[in-house]
């Protein structure tokens, strides 16, 4: 007889793995199906020239004792086993521009954040303080962000206040405006659309505390898989779901490209909502619902540069750089002209543990539109399914590498002499490995003028099929973890689940005291 599960989770990204652990903790019989050879989605790491690179988790916030992500990870039993390095207290991020010698800091701790920026903009102290207070207040108004009851935000202007408009309303200095918005690669900021709450939820955790994962973010996935298996869960690689099976109107099972079929009472998709609906089949949904999701704007993709350094040649930098060519471009670099690409980038280094003080590698990320991938968009390539995209694709990447290095050389003129090898990811890499629509960095665009358009309920129009992951309300490690809590609350009860999390945390605190 075919084994039947209470819940099948499709995709082992962070949202899928957190959902799997929560439901297994609640006594559910859970199975996770992953198409690739590695669990974790954006938590995946890969090795080039014996050097470990992160796919998507370059730093994490909110992990000091008692902070929000700390509490969620503590409940999931992974916090104590994470190997972390705290980033520079006075500048976990720095914002820089061409032809400007200064590095403008984003510091850990709310008071310290103000203190460090006031050194550069003393006349703007009141505005900087007001900005920090607004960030804190905005995050407080999302209950689950603070493990409070309710999955609803409150405040009339919360969803409609635009990030750029608010920052400009309290800050007069145009350069400081750019500095406060300078890390908007974190959420792909759009001057006409991005709500302030997206900005606040993206930066607040790092302002609280900022950390690197030593030897990569895949340790989070590995720990979640280990805990899930200990709870009796089953998880399989190389099982790409390509069909949802119905008996009349009831979803009863999923089939995979390997020819296996898995049965369950409920199904949770950690795959991009657009792709999920395409696999299910548009005939299973009302036209308006299907059209609404397919037409919802996805966030731009990215091109990543991965540099392996020769030993002991490039200094380790315990902070991230967000660089824009000019400060008046901070909000508009998604609209880059190809001849000027990249107009903005971030980069981060990983320390060589055998050679402290020096970087083992560097990762840099810049926006890239999917339309640049058009000549190769019909091709697919993963470790599980190897394909060659051709010489034109390799030549395209080499052109981009050269343009990218020229920009980084402005900051580090001698970087080429330190390079051992250079590797890349394109929007096609993110599409094929992570399963996000057109390689989208963060799910759907949030629009302050139409705030409910991109808000998805975890419930679909198929009663026993739910969504989780960054396609719901927020992206990022904390946002996706909360999305998993919201999804699981639909299956086990929202108030019940939140109380269970609080009770578990109280028990752990008591046992450790």
């Amino acid at each position: 007889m075919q084994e039947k599960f209470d819940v099948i989770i499709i995709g082992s990204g962070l949202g899928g793995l957190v959902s799997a652990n929560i439901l297994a903790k609640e006594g559910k019989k859970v199975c996770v199906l992953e198409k690739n050879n590695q669990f974790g989605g954006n938590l995946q790491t890969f090795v080039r020239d014996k050097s470990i690179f992160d796919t998507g988790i370059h730093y994490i916030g909110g992990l000091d004792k008692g902070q929000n992500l700390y509490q969620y990870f503590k409940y999931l039993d992974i916090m104590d086993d994470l190997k972390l390095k705290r980033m520079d207290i006075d500048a976990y991020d720095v914002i820089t521009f061409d032809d400007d010698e200064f590095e403008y800091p984003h510091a850990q701790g709310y008071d310290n954040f103000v203190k460090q920026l006031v050194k550069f903009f003393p006349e703007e102290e009141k505005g900087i303080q007001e900005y920090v207070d607004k960030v804190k207040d905005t995050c407080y108004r999302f209950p689950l962000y603070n493990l409070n009851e309710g999955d609803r935000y409150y405040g009339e202007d919360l969803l409609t206040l635009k990030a750029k408009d608010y920052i400009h309303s309290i800050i007069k200095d145009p350069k400081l405006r750019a500095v406060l918005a300078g890390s908007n690669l974190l959420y792909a900021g759009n001057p006409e659309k991005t709500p302030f709450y997206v900005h606040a939820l993206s930066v607040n955790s790092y302002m609280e505390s900022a950390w690197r994962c030593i030897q990569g973010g895949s340790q989070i996935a590995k720990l979640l898989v280990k805990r899930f298996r200990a709870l009796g869960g089953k998880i399989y690689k190389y099982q790409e779901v390509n069909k949802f099976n119905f008996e009349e109107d009831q979803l009863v099972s999923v089939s995979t490209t390997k020819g296996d079929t898995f049965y369950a009472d409920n199904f949770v998709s950690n795959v991009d909502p657009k792709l999920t609906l395409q696999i299910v089949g548009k005939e299973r949904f009302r036209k308006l619902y299907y059209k609404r999701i397919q037409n919802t704007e996805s966030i731009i993709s990215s091109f990543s540069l991965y540099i392996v350094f020769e030993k002991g040649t490039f200094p380790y930098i315990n902070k991230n750089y967000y660089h824009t060519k000019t400060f008046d471009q901070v909000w508009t670099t998604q609209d880059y002209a190809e001849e000027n690409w990249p107009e903005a980038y971030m980069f981060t280094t990983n320390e060589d543990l055998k050679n402290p003080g020096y970087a083992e590698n560097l990762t840099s990320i810049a926006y890239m539109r999917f339309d640049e991938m058009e000549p190769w968009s019909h091709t697919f390539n993963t470790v599980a399914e190897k394909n060659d995209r051709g010489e034109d694709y390799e030549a395209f990447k080499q052109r981009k590498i050269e343009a990218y290095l020229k920009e980084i050389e402005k900051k580090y003129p001698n970087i080429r002499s330190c390079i051992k090898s250079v590797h890349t990811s394109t929007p096609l890499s993110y599409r094929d490995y992570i399963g996000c629509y057109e390689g989208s960095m963060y799910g759907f665009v949030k629009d302050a003028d139409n705030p409910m358009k991109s808000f998805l309920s975890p419930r679909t129009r198929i009663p026993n099929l739910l969504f989780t992951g960054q396609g719901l309300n927020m992206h990022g490690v904390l946002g996706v973890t909360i999305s998993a809590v919201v999804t699981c609350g639909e299956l086990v009860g929202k108030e019940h689940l939140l109380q269970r999390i609080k009770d578990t945390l109280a028990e752990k605190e008591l046992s450790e005291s």
Side-chain angles (χ1 to χ4, degrees):
M1 274 185 69
Q2 175 70 48
E3 186 175 11
K4 185 178 180 182
F5 297 91
D6 295 321
V7 185
I8 285 174
I9 295 173
I10 303 145
S12 70
L14 179 62
L17 291 177
V18 172
S19 297
N21 275 268
I22 291 172
L23 294 170
K25 279 175 172 284
E26 290 297 307
K28 301 292 185 184
K29 187 178 180 181
V30 184
C31 174
V32 179
L33 303 175
E34 168 56 48
K35 73 172 185 175
N36 284 319
N37 72 316
Q38 190 179 157
F39 301 122
N42 265 321
L43 296 171
Q44 294 177 64
T45 53
F46 59 93
V47 177
R48 295 289 183 271
D49 248 336
K50 300 180 181 178
S51 190
I52 297 173
F53 289 94
D54 275 296
T55 299
I57 305 299
H58 305 293
Y59 61 143
I60 311 178
L63 286 180
D64 242 353
K65 188 169 184 178
Q67 291 175 352
N68 43 24
L69 190 58
Y70 173 95
Q71 294 189 77
Y72 279 117
F73 277 7
K74 192 76 173 174
Y75 159 74
L76 292 164
D77 296 318
I78 66 171
M79 186 64 227
D80 296 344
D81 292 323
L82 291 176
K83 295 180 176 65
L84 304 166
K85 178 182 179 69
R86 189 158 200 153
M87 298 177 71
D88 190 324
I89 292 283
D90 292 335
Y92 63 87
D93 284 345
V94 290
I95 313 302
T96 62
F97 310 98
D98 282 1
D99 304 319
D100 187 338
E101 63 179 309
F102 295 114
E103 298 180 348
Y104 302 99
H106 289 187
Q108 298 181 51
Y110 298 116
D111 291 342
N112 195 31
F113 187 96
V114 176
K115 176 184 174 184
Q116 298 305 326
L117 276 183
V118 166
K119 293 177 182 178
F120 295 89
F121 305 98
E123 72 288 352
E124 293 277 14
E125 182 171 4
K126 181 181 177 184
I128 298 169
Q129 186 63 58
E130 188 174 335
Y131 164 81
V132 168
D133 291 343
K134 186 69 170 180
V135 167
K136 285 194 289 185
D137 177 65
T138 299
C139 294
Y140 176 77
R141 290 158 72 183
F142 287 84
L144 280 177
Y145 190 84
N146 306 287
L147 276 82
N148 292 325
E149 283 189 25
D151 56 2
R152 298 287 179 189
Y153 39 81
Y154 55 95
E156 288 182 9
D157 65 338
L158 186 61
L159 304 184
T160 58
L161 178 64
K162 293 177 183 176
K164 181 184 177 183
D165 289 352
Y166 176 73
I167 291 171
H168 281 225
S169 75
I170 60 167
I171 302 295
K172 294 177 182 177
D173 190 309
K175 184 160 282 187
L176 177 57
R177 291 172 174 175
V179 168
L180 292 177
S183 62
N184 71 29
L185 260 162
L186 281 169
Y187 51 90
N190 180 309
E192 306 303 323
K193 295 181 179 181
T194 301
F196 184 77
Y197 81 84
V198 169
H199 171 91
L201 291 173
S202 298
V203 303
N204 180 70
S205 292
Y206 301 115
M207 289 169 69
E208 289 184 328
S209 63
W211 311 79
R212 290 205 200 287
C213 287
I214 298 172
Q215 296 290 287
S218 62
Q219 60 177 297
I220 299 171
K222 290 172 183 174
L223 287 169
L224 287 170
V225 169
K226 183 179 179 181
R227 300 291 181 264
F228 176 59
R229 284 176 167 153
L231 290 164
K234 295 195 174 180
I235 184 166
Y236 300 101
K237 300 176 185 177
Y238 304 110
Q239 289 285 8
E240 181 176 1
V241 171
N242 66 346
K243 188 179 179 185
F244 287 75
N245 304 308
F246 292 80
E247 290 181 2
E248 296 180 354
D249 291 330
Q250 179 72 21
L251 175 58
V252 295
S253 67
V254 292
S255 297
T256 68
T257 52
K258 286 181 70 173
D260 296 325
T261 299
F262 296 83
Y263 293 80
D265 293 324
N266 291 286
F267 300 81
V268 175
S269 178
N270 190 204
V271 178
D272 186 291
K274 291 185 180 184
L275 300 177
T276 301
L277 265 58
Q278 289 172 17
I279 298 168
V280 174
K282 64 191 300 183
E283 70 278 0
R284 291 285 174 185
F285 302 95
R286 291 180 180 174
K287 287 183 180 179
L288 279 176
Y289 178 77
Y290 187 89
K291 187 176 180 181
R292 178 205 153 200
I293 290 180
Q294 296 301 330
N295 290 345
T296 300
E297 183 182 359
S298 293
I299 282 172
I300 193 171
S301 188
S302 62
F303 181 97
S304 295
L305 197 67
Y306 307 104
I307 297 174
V308 181
F309 291 120
E310 297 285 0
K311 297 287 184 184
T313 61
F314 195 85
Y316 169 66
I317 306 162
N318 197 29
K319 60 187 77 168
N320 303 313
Y321 277 84
Y322 286 86
H323 183 82
T324 309
K325 287 184 177 179
T326 63
F327 67 84
D328 57 355
Q329 287 180 292
V330 159
W331 287 103
T332 60
T333 57
Q334 291 187 51
D335 303 319
Y336 62 86
E338 288 186 35
E339 61 271 20
N340 296 327
W341 182 92
E343 293 180 356
Y345 61 83
M346 73 84 71
F347 78 73
T348 183
T349 59
N350 284 315
E351 190 170 22
D352 185 345
L353 299 181
K354 295 179 181 178
N355 207 353
Y358 287 95
E360 180 178 313
N361 60 42
L362 177 150
T363 298
S364 190
I365 302 168
Y367 293 130
M368 182 171 280
R369 293 187 292 269
F370 191 77
D371 58 26
E372 292 201 57
M373 299 292 100
E374 187 58 37
W376 313 282
S377 61
H378 62 286
T379 65
F380 291 85
N381 179 39
T382 65
V383 172
E385 188 179 342
K386 284 281 189 185
N387 285 289
D388 186 355
R389 302 195 204 272
E391 292 181 9
D392 288 350
Y393 182 67
E394 295 305 316
F396 168 85
K397 291 196 293 184
Q398 285 303 315
R399 289 197 303 274
K400 294 299 183 181
I401 289 171
E402 184 60 29
Y404 212 137
L405 285 176
K406 282 182 178 178
E407 288 303 316
I408 295 178
E409 278 182 304
K410 293 177 182 178
K411 185 177 293 293
Y412 292 101
N414 300 318
I415 191 170
R416 286 185 198 253
S417 65
C418 305
I419 293 174
K420 182 179 182 183
S421 60
V422 181
H423 313 271
T424 62
S425 292
T426 73
L428 290 177
S429 313
Y430 291 106
R431 182 198 68 180
D432 294 356
Y433 279 90
I434 311 302
C436 39
Y437 182 78
E438 294 189 344
S440 171
M441 294 172 77
Y442 308 124
F444 293 150
V445 170
K446 304 295 188 291
D447 187 350
D449 289 333
N450 199 349
M452 300 315 296
K453 186 177 180 181
S454 58
F455 270 86
L456 269 188
S457 166
R459 290 276 181 192
T460 73
R461 294 299 188 261
I462 295 169
N464 61 337
L465 173 63
L466 294 89
F467 292 131
T468 198
Q470 69 176 14
L472 292 186
N473 296 339
M474 272 299 290
H475 62 276
V477 175
L478 179 59
V480 170
T481 298
I482 291 172
S483 85
V485 173
V486 172
T487 299
C488 293
E490 294 288 332
L491 293 173
V492 301
K494 300 170 189 175
E495 292 181 8
H496 162 80
L497 177 55
L498 191 60
Q499 193 57 52
R500 288 274 290 186
I501 293 172
K502 289 181 175 179
D503 290 346
T504 300
L505 289 171
E507 290 168 10
K508 287 178 179 292
E509 190 171 340
L510 188 63
S511 67
E512 292 173 3
S513 62

